[in-house]
Amino acid sequence: MIRCMLLCCLLSLSKLFAQPVFISGQTTGDYPYLDYGLGEDRLGGAKMTYLDTAVRVRVVDSVRSTYKVQLSTNHFAYLPKQHFRRDTAVWKPYHLTGSWHVSGDDRYDYVKIGLDERLPYTSRQEISPSRIVVDIFGATSNTNWVTQLKTVKEIKNVYHEQIDDDVFRVIIELQHPTHWGHSVYYEGRRLVVRIKQQPKSLKLKNLKIAIDAGHGGSNTGARGLQTGILEKDYTLLMAKALQEELTKKGAEVFMTRSTDTTLSMNERLALVQGSQPDLLISIHLNSSGRATVKGTSTYYRYIGFRPLSTAVLNEMYKLDLADFGNIGSFNFTLNGATDFPNTLVEVAFLSNAEDEARIRDEKFQKNVGRQIRKGIEQWLKGIR
């Protein structure tokens, strides 16, 4: 009997002390984000997702400049400390989803999901078939109706799954194979997934295209191996060449910079998102510690945007540049936007003498603008 009582006491104590100790708070600042782990490279750690501000999180550990946060019973992530604000709110033992409202306007479709708290989430693109999948951490289903209006144009189907006791999955099937972009944010405590509809016309003259000339101002970028030319100057020349090509075709163009201006990455992202383009092209020049490395390359992060980067790269090859590849999962800020198709073009290597000579040539600069424009047109042709 005594042994039995002792065993029960020990079990009770073990359960008591097994309860996690955490600090409650919210995300804060511009573009808060979560990392998968503690790994780093020159672009930072591998990002899990960007989040809205004032999203409820609980910190369970501190590691250098990041907090380890518990998203659900079995899921953890890392949040930069500058994006966390502690508060005294009481953490509820569970959170419930509510009803949904699915509708559209003349540009976007919306899935709006009732929640009792602003919970963390992730989203991803899927292809064949094209879908958007959103996981809401800490949420348990109490969704008993989903209202769908006929105003939707891009959404084919919506449904949900409880993939873990406290992870709620939202699946949005799209009408078209092409991902034109989506955003996830909160309106009060209602989570909104905004889906860009495919434009009615897939011609340049009916589209708005954002162009970002890499670096600028105090951020000079790479230097030429032979002549010391600066990346910031030549990305701007090529961006203007692309602007001219697109404008001739009737496209509306938004430039993040048209002069030698210093802009942070978050400032560039805010400018582009505010302009609501149909797609984004970023232009950079590459550099390597080995002078023999040369060639052109394009970069994307999300699988739904790979066709754009592939089409542009195929046209860039026609400038007789070496193949440096089509690089996916790229952890670059402007590739991190899910709002619109985007690709980063690394035209050629300033650290290679042959490539540098090309970059300095005015005719080559204009040809870069022409080939990127052709790449966009080939991408649009493939969609049609």
Side-chain angles (χ1 to χ4, degrees):
M1 178 64 75
I2 294 174
R3 284 184 176 181
C4 184
M5 290 176 64
L6 285 171
L7 181 59
C8 289
C9 289
L10 287 171
L11 287 171
S12 298
L13 286 170
S14 67
K15 289 180 180 179
L16 175 64
F17 288 107
Q19 297 300 313
V21 177
F22 61 84
I23 300 170
S24 178
Q26 303 178 36
T27 56
T28 188
D30 295 332
Y31 301 106
Y33 61 88
L34 297 175
D35 282 341
Y36 283 105
L38 295 171
E40 290 186 0
D41 59 23
R42 65 186 181 86
L43 294 174
K47 290 182 178 61
M48 176 186 292
T49 187
Y50 284 93
L51 291 173
D52 203 346
T53 55
V55 170
R56 176 71 47 195
V57 291
R58 51 183 175 179
V59 170
V60 296
D61 201 359
S62 174
V63 186
R64 301 192 297 272
S65 61
T66 65
Y67 285 127
K68 184 178 182 180
V69 297
Q70 185 170 14
L71 303 176
S72 67
T73 302
N74 299 313
H75 295 84
F76 297 84
Y78 292 84
L79 174 71
K81 290 181 177 178
Q82 72 265 26
H83 290 307
F84 177 77
R85 182 179 72 244
R86 183 174 182 171
D87 60 29
T88 58
V90 176
W91 189 273
K92 293 175 61 176
Y94 61 88
H95 298 279
L96 298 176
T97 67
S99 61
W100 296 18
H101 189 267
V102 183
S103 63
D105 57 26
D106 60 351
R107 186 174 173 87
Y108 299 100
D109 287 353
Y110 303 87
V111 178
K112 299 184 179 183
I113 302 162
L115 293 170
D116 61 13
E117 185 57 88
R118 292 166 71 108
L119 299 172
Y121 53 82
T122 60
S123 72
R124 70 173 185 271
Q125 299 171 342
E126 293 184 351
I127 56 174
S128 302
S130 55
R131 308 194 307 176
I132 297 166
V133 179
V134 179
D135 287 341
I136 307 173
F137 296 103
T140 302
S141 179
N142 193 40
T143 296
N144 295 312
W145 64 87
V146 177
T147 301
Q148 303 178 62
L149 302 184
K150 66 178 182 180
T151 52
V152 296
K153 300 178 181 68
E154 188 57 45
I155 294 175
K156 182 178 181 180
N157 289 307
V158 295
Y159 54 98
H160 57 86
E161 300 172 353
Q162 192 72 48
I163 63 169
D164 211 340
D165 288 345
D166 53 357
V167 181
F168 183 78
R169 176 164 291 173
V170 178
I171 300 99
I172 305 169
E173 295 182 352
L174 305 180
Q175 295 281 4
H176 297 97
T178 300
H179 283 266
W180 283 90
H182 73 275
S183 307
V184 187
Y185 56 91
Y186 276 98
E187 290 179 348
R189 293 183 179 178
R190 187 162 59 171
L191 185 70
V192 180
V193 185
R194 187 184 73 179
I195 299 101
K196 173 76 181 301
Q197 298 163 3
Q198 179 162 297
K200 294 182 178 69
S201 172
L202 296 176
K203 295 182 178 180
L204 284 178
K205 66 179 181 179
N206 299 114
L207 300 180
K208 184 176 185 178
I209 299 173
I211 304 172
D212 177 62
H215 305 279
S218 60
N219 184 357
T220 59
R223 288 179 176 270
L225 176 70
Q226 302 291 325
T227 64
I229 59 173
L230 300 178
E231 181 179 0
K232 67 170 185 175
D233 297 326
Y234 286 80
T235 57
L236 184 57
L237 289 171
M238 293 173 188
K240 287 182 175 180
L242 175 57
Q243 179 187 26
E244 183 178 351
E245 286 284 331
L246 294 172
T247 302
K248 284 179 182 177
K249 292 287 184 174
E252 181 181 355
V253 176
F254 174 80
M255 302 279 284
T256 57
R257 70 180 183 98
S258 298
T259 59
D260 187 18
T261 307
T262 302
L263 291 170
S264 71
M265 293 311 304
N266 281 351
E267 287 172 331
R268 292 171 193 265
L269 182 55
L271 285 169
V272 175
Q273 287 180 325
S275 74
Q276 295 187 326
D278 293 299
L279 61 118
L280 163 68
I281 303 292
S282 299
I283 298 177
H284 282 248
L285 299 172
N286 223 329
S287 184
S288 172
R290 292 183 295 158
T292 56
V293 177
K294 61 182 180 178
T296 189
S297 51
T298 55
Y299 300 73
Y300 67 95
R301 180 173 177 187
Y302 305 108
I303 189 63
F305 299 155
R306 185 176 188 271
L308 173 61
S309 68
T310 302
V312 171
L313 185 59
N314 286 339
E315 291 299 320
M316 290 294 292
Y317 289 148
K318 296 176 183 178
L319 295 175
D320 293 325
L321 292 162
D323 178 14
F324 195 68
N326 187 18
I327 292 91
S329 298
F330 194 59
N331 191 25
F332 176 62
T333 300
L334 294 183
N335 287 132
T338 61
D339 312 58
F340 33 75
N342 58 78
T343 187
L344 165 66
V345 184
E346 291 276 7
V347 174
F349 278 80
L350 277 170
S351 53
N352 174 268
E354 181 183 347
D355 275 5
E356 182 190 6
R358 291 171 178 263
I359 291 165
R360 294 178 60 210
D361 183 78
E362 185 177 350
K363 183 178 179 181
F364 177 79
Q365 296 158 20
K366 293 185 180 299
N367 288 342
V368 166
R370 182 194 65 207
Q371 294 310 115
I372 296 176
R373 185 261 299 165
K374 286 186 174 182
I376 297 170
E377 288 178 323
Q378 286 302 312
W379 173 67
L380 291 171
K381 183 179 178 180
I383 296 171
R384 289 194 293 266

